[in-house]
Amino acid sequence: MSHTYVPVLWNRQKKIYDLVLWGGIFLFLAIFIACQLIFFPEITAESLIIRATGTLAFVMLHIILAIGPIARLNPVFLPLLYNRRHFGVSMFIVALVHGIFNLIQFHSFGNSDPILSIFTSNEHYNSLTRFPFQSLGFFALLILFLMAATSHDFWLKNLSPRVWKGLHMMVYVAYGLLIFHVLLGVVQTENSFFNIGLLGIGMVSLIGLHLMASLQELKGTEKPDEKLDEDFVFVCEWDDILENRAKTVMIEDQNIAVFKYDQKVSAVNNLCRHQNGPLGEGKILDGCITCPWHGYQYLPENGQSPPPFTEKVETYDVKIIGEKIYVNPKPYPEGTERPPAIYTPSSPSSNGK
Amino acid sequence: MENNTNKEDFYIGWQDKAPGKFGRAARIFALLSLFLGAMTAAVLVINQKGFADSVFEFGETTQLEGFLTLDPVPMLRVSKEGRSEGMLLVGLGKFGSEATIDQILKKENIQLEQDASLKVTLKGTRIYHNGKSALELTDGLDSFVGAEGDQLKAEPAISSFGRKTLSGEILDPKCALGVMKPGYGKPHRSCAIRCISGGIPPIFRASFADGQVLHAILLGPKGEKINEEVLPFVADKVRICGELIMQDDWYVFKLEPESEIIRLSYYGAEGVSSTCGG
Ligand code: HEM
Ligand code: FES
């Protein structure tokens, strides 16, 4: 096994997560099918499968997109975030069933290639209400496929976190496509108050949660401008940071986490090299800064992951004068050793230059 | 101040067991998601518009004796409860029946005239809805069981209702009569386009305020096929002008020459009126 990525471990938490996830999937399908058979049993089996899986995949996508901001708003929800990719892959599988059944039912056994037929049977691309909404579903499914296929950490490492993150941010493009897939599709026939209402509630909740989380982050990350001299900027008072915790500041485009531990202070770049998790919201465990998202670790003095791991973050110079903590926002290359600033109650100390 | 060994307030994914409050949060989240998901499923299903009580006897073929005729479109005229009923013949999948019938006739060395009928036994899958039915020639060439006697001149009972305007949807009868539910409207449009471009004769469906539905076979001014011409208008609410005819038990609508198919708004009223144009 390579040491260049942390293999996804199969621990008890994950087993419970998957059990609950798939239990939920089957429960949803059971309720959908039961209601259908009680209220409208005339439906064909294909339509039932298409509707049940389409609706389920879209509901799952909402939950997936809600987990991010909810975990940022309250860290007690972080375990949900950690295992989210299982949720994503499961959602893709459900959506794939929907897509395949649609392809078979509406586009196969005819005088055209089924995939081509998605794009060419209805050609009203210039009309909103007549728009071939299936094409939007197709592209959304393609995005979900790329995400599911690259969800493993192996790909994260190989594509580089920046590319990987960019690819996985496409989930918002997929969400937008699907809103219109539903709005220009089934809502055009089943245009009930509930249909449109639920779509609206889903959208408003997601946008609201994301806004709240961003607002909180803006408030959490201070942009100090009180300077000590040319280089050092005031961060906060010694007592403002809890032991083994950090304060996150944004200075000159540098996102810096200033950690306090063992009467010392060290500063590293706030972005975890795994998936840009916020190191400043993590904690020092067993002497290592531990990322709150998936537990990658870095030594506070040099920003290096302890061997055998090889991740490194940038480091910064820090200074303590009296009770005041200062940082120099000029980054050192990833993994550069910088001595911590030592705190001596009411006596100045610095790691100097 | 906190100390180093207190891990109660910090969970990392690789820990085997999450501290209490994390587990509680996850449980609450899971239960809430399940509840909201279940509500969504129930609310959406219960508020569906409902489906036709149409039937496609999928997986079950029936052998039927009747008269094969090509006018106005390929049909098998069977007698049902003392009346003659025209079953539209359609192919397997999204194809019309013409290719299959041609092959059958060629193989049997029969030259069936447009205005003739021939007593045959066919095997296929029945599709029916509201007194109208179709037969899918599921087994291709093997759908033909046998013919009996010579071809006779078909003598359909024809009556004309004159020039009419119909407002409604152009559909493929295979899906509309039962293969798919819903077999009309926006989600089904591309399928209907596939079927009609595959040779299944388009029909015009107009539903009236009182719930009655009129299904008319849609043809060109001279009774010719107009499958390609109607494709851009399929499963859209439209108004057409032409002659409404009753041929045996099927309405037939012949589009007026040079008349346009006019798109209506989604909420436009459907029905029949005696004025044309405008
Ligand atoms: C190849 C890709 C896809 C095709 C061809 C497709 C096609 C369709 C069609 C024809 C309908 C209307 C079905 C009906 O009358 O009930 C529909 C509905 C729907 N689709 Fe898709 N879809 C695709 C991908 C997706 C994906 C990826 C999602 C979500 C993750 C999705 C979510 C939905 C939802 C929520 C509905 C409304 C509920 C329903 O009626 O099924 N679709 N889709
Ligand atoms: S982002 Fe995954 S461990 Fe930091």
Side-chain angles (χ1 to χ4, degrees):
Chain A
M1 202 176 295
S2 153
H3 282 138
T4 51
Y5 70 89
V6 176
V8 177
L9 299 172
W10 211 253
N11 63 8
R12 181 173 160 273
Q13 291 299 329
K14 284 200 170 173
K15 285 186 196 139
I16 297 176
Y17 196 96
D18 287 357
L19 217 62
V20 172
L21 179 58
W22 280 90
I25 287 174
F26 284 109
L27 200 67
F28 181 98
L29 291 175
I31 290 171
F32 199 103
I33 293 169
C35 287
Q36 190 76 60
L37 295 183
I38 293 170
F39 291 94
F40 299 104
E42 313 83 16
I43 195 169
T44 58
E46 299 89 340
S47 291
L48 176 53
I49 293 170
I50 286 172
R51 290 204 165 171
T53 51
T55 311
L56 172 58
F58 203 41
V59 166
M60 286 173 79
L61 182 59
H62 277 84
I63 299 174
I64 289 170
L65 292 180
I67 288 176
I70 285 178
R72 277 194 282 159
L73 284 168
N74 191 339
V76 291
F77 291 104
L78 275 169
L80 297 164
L81 189 72
Y82 174 58
N83 284 313
R84 187 163 60 157
R85 61 181 85 183
H86 284 211
F87 212 138
V89 173
S90 305
M91 187 253 313
F92 165 71
I93 293 170
V94 175
L96 187 64
V97 173
H98 169 83
I100 288 177
F101 268 82
N102 271 308
L103 206 62
I104 294 175
Q105 155 123 319
F106 294 116
H107 302 280
S108 299
F109 315 115
N111 57 357
S112 156
D113 174 76
I115 303 244
L116 203 65
S117 163
I118 291 181
F119 300 98
T120 55
S121 48
N122 173 4
E123 291 181 325
H124 294 296
Y125 286 95
N126 54 356
S127 157
L128 198 60
T129 49
R130 277 180 275 276
F131 194 88
F133 67 98
Q134 293 91 338
S135 56
L136 304 174
F138 181 86
F139 286 120
L141 191 61
L142 200 65
I143 293 175
L144 300 182
F145 166 73
L146 287 178
M147 289 175 52
T150 59
S151 70
H152 199 277
D153 265 353
F154 172 80
W155 284 101
L156 176 71
K157 200 72 208 177
N158 274 283
L159 292 171
S160 90
R162 216 170 47 85
V163 173
W164 191 90
K165 189 86 187 167
L167 179 67
H168 284 241
M169 287 306 274
M170 295 266 287
V171 70
Y172 290 100
V173 177
Y175 179 71
L177 289 171
L178 288 170
I179 289 282
F180 284 98
H181 176 67
V182 174
L183 212 54
L184 303 181
V186 82
V187 171
Q188 304 275 316
T189 15
E190 297 276 356
N191 53 341
S192 79
F193 168 73
F194 296 95
N195 229 315
I196 299 167
L198 280 175
L199 195 64
I201 292 173
M203 250 174 81
V204 169
S205 318
L206 280 184
I207 294 174
L209 279 171
H210 279 83
L211 281 180
M212 274 159 66
S214 316
L215 264 177
Q216 173 167 317
E217 224 145 75
L218 270 183
K219 270 196 241 148
T221 311
E222 283 175 27
K223 291 189 180 159
D225 51 10
E226 187 190 327
K227 290 207 159 186
L228 177 68
D229 50 38
E230 280 289 275
D231 304 315
F232 282 84
V233 180
F234 173 67
V235 176
C236 62
E237 301 281 335
W238 172 259
D239 284 340
D240 291 345
I241 312 181
L242 294 173
E243 176 71 4
N244 289 323
R245 294 286 192 167
K247 167 118 190 142
T248 308
V249 284
M250 191 75 163
I251 310 168
E252 293 168 15
D253 284 338
Q254 289 294 314
N255 198 346
I256 306 170
V258 182
F259 274 91
K260 165 172 156 185
Y261 58 104
D262 302 338
Q263 302 292 89
K264 290 182 278 189
V265 164
S266 284
V268 298
N269 192 277
N270 188 39
L271 299 179
C272 175
R273 291 306 121 100
H274 179 219
Q275 281 178 36
N276 288 353
L279 291 178
E281 288 168 32
K283 189 177 177 183
I284 294 185
L285 288 179
D286 309 321
C288 287
I289 296 170
T290 307
C291 178
W293 282 11
H294 315 90
Y296 272 41
Q297 294 190 310
Y298 305 87
L299 291 163
E301 309 83 39
N302 57 17
Q304 298 178 7
S305 294
F309 303 107
T310 53
E311 278 72 21
K312 289 183 206 126
V313 290
E314 293 87 353
T315 49
Y316 304 87
D317 277 333
V318 277
K319 231 182 219 177
I320 303 176
I321 299 178
E323 297 292 314
K324 290 176 187 275
I325 299 172
Y326 298 87
V327 68
N328 180 346
K330 206 168 92 35
Y332 284 90
E334 297 167 354
T336 308
E337 174 103 33
R338 296 313 303 159
I342 305 198
Y343 175 71
T344 3
S346 334
S347 77
S349 138
S350 100
N351 66 348
K353 273 212 298 181
Chain B
M1 211 172 268
E2 300 173 65
N3 67 58
N4 212 351
T5 50
N6 173 16
K7 293 181 182 172
E8 253 302 297
D9 60 340
F10 192 70
Y11 167 73
I12 321 148
W14 38 253
Q15 285 174 348
D16 219 26
K17 192 169 179 335
K21 69 174 179 182
F22 290 94
R24 235 175 352 265
R27 264 196 300 283
I28 291 172
F29 185 86
L31 285 177
L32 195 69
S33 303
L34 263 178
F35 175 75
L36 291 177
M39 289 300 289
T40 305
V43 166
L44 287 180
V45 172
I46 292 168
N47 288 290
Q48 284 173 133
K49 281 193 178 157
F51 304 88
D53 55 354
S54 49
V55 178
F56 174 47
E57 295 180 340
F58 181 73
E60 178 188 337
T61 56
T62 309
Q63 200 157 312
L64 294 160
E65 197 184 68
F67 290 91
L68 174 67
T69 164
L70 304 178
D71 179 50
V73 292
M75 276 192 194
L76 182 70
R77 303 213 64 88
V78 295
S79 81
K80 190 176 151 197
E81 291 153 11
R83 288 184 308 111
S84 158
E85 182 190 341
M87 297 179 87
L88 295 173
L89 293 175
V90 296
L92 180 65
K94 296 176 174 58
F95 289 100
S97 59
E98 276 160 345
T100 311
I101 293 173
D102 276 353
Q103 282 174 3
I104 291 174
L105 293 177
K106 201 171 277 167
K107 193 171 152 223
E108 301 295 319
N109 236 331
I110 302 169
Q111 191 98 43
L112 188 63
E113 302 296 329
Q114 181 70 19
D115 60 352
S117 77
L118 175 71
K119 192 165 186 190
V120 295
T121 304
L122 295 178
K123 194 171 63 164
T125 311
R126 291 194 297 172
I127 305 164
Y128 48 91
H129 173 50
N130 242 339
K132 289 277 161 274
S133 62
L135 186 70
E136 182 197 73
L137 300 179
T138 315
D139 301 329
L141 283 182
D142 295 335
S143 305
F144 180 79
V145 179
E148 204 180 300
D150 294 329
Q151 52 182 298
L152 313 163
K153 187 153 175 61
E155 282 164 349
I158 297 181
S159 52
S160 173
F161 298 91
R163 267 181 103 206
K164 296 281 180 201
T165 295
L166 296 189
S167 307
E169 270 188 41
I170 300 170
L171 303 169
D172 73 293
K174 185 170 182 184
C175 294
L177 291 183
V179 175
M180 288 188 196
K181 299 175 183 187
Y184 52 85
K186 176 85 189 267
H188 184 256
R189 175 179 297 138
S190 32
C191 173
I193 290 174
R194 276 272 75 72
C195 288
I196 293 173
S197 88
I200 295 178
I203 57 171
F204 199 88
R205 189 192 73 145
S207 33
F208 300 88
D210 63 359
Q212 295 265 64
V213 180
L214 174 144
H215 285 119
I217 296 166
L218 191 56
L219 294 172
K222 300 192 199 76
E224 73 275 24
K225 292 181 74 165
I226 47 166
N227 292 36
E228 288 302 320
E229 290 85 335
V230 302
L231 284 185
F233 301 97
V234 167
D236 226 342
K237 194 158 284 185
V238 293
R239 190 171 70 211
I240 55 174
C241 175
E243 186 187 7
L244 183 64
I245 298 163
M246 186 73 157
Q247 178 161 345
D248 289 326
D249 61 333
W250 273 96
Y251 284 107
V252 175
F253 193 85
K254 290 185 178 166
L255 272 185
E256 198 146 278
E258 327 242 312
S259 78
E260 279 182 67
I261 299 176
I262 295 167
R263 254 190 255 284
L264 302 177
S265 87
Y266 179 77
Y267 294 100
E270 298 194 4
V272 181
S273 74
S274 307
T275 51
C276 238

